[in-house]
Amino acid sequence: QVQLVESGGGLVQAGGSLRLSCAASGFTFSSYAMGWFRQAPGKEREFVAGVSGRGYSTTYGDSVKGRFTISRDNAKNTVFLQMNSLEPEDTAIYYCAARYANIRQDAAEYANWGQGTQVTVSS
């Protein structure tokens, strides 16, 4: 069955960096777009970044453009989210998600989700 396991979250000061990883198994990884979403307390789940199956196409939410970079290693069935210049507003649980075929920014379009990893940015 599909399994997505995030790692790399933690506590960091504003201006710092973190790199999240999501290890995937149970499906043909290169056939799936991968997305990163985040959810802060009391807020809806928000699209952060997405990457196409072969890694040729990426897209980002407006709030993270220029600071975050999504990438994938299909040989290792892993997707990454490099987060730089972190801000307290980036504090949330970060989830990776898999979707067959194309990237979508709507969380409802993704059927497969990891358990999430907490990112906390202190001011």
Side-chain angles (χ1 to χ4, degrees):
Q1 69 278 18
V2 173
Q3 189 171 15
L4 301 171
V5 180
E6 301 97 335
S7 60
L11 173 65
V12 64
Q13 288 189 333
S17 298
L18 281 175
R19 189 191 196 208
L20 305 183
S21 299
C22 174
S25 61
F27 61 103
T28 304
F29 187 65
S30 61
S31 295
Y32 282 66
M34 298 297 296
W36 284 98
F37 291 78
R38 66 187 182 186
Q39 189 164 19
K43 295 188 176 182
E44 293 188 355
R45 195 162 293 192
E46 174 190 15
F47 175 80
V48 174
V51 60
S52 61
R54 298 296 181 97
Y56 297 146
S57 178
T58 58
T59 188
Y60 296 90
D62 288 341
S63 61
V64 306
K65 283 180 181 176
R67 300 188 298 124
F68 291 11
T69 303
I70 189 171
S71 62
R72 65 191 296 160
D73 183 341
N74 284 354
K76 296 182 179 179
N77 285 8
T78 303
V79 62
F80 305 98
L81 184 68
Q82 177 66 44
M83 306 186 294
N84 298 329
S85 301
L86 283 161
E87 304 167 352
E89 293 74 21
D90 296 316
T91 295
I93 299 175
Y94 283 70
Y95 300 90
C96 73
R99 180 183 187 279
Y100 183 74
N102 300 329
I103 304 168
R104 291 288 186 270
Q105 298 194 23
D106 184 350
E109 298 275 0
Y110 290 77
N112 306 290
W113 293 84
Q115 81 289 349
T117 186
Q118 176 70 48
V119 171
T120 303
V121 184
S122 63
S123 57

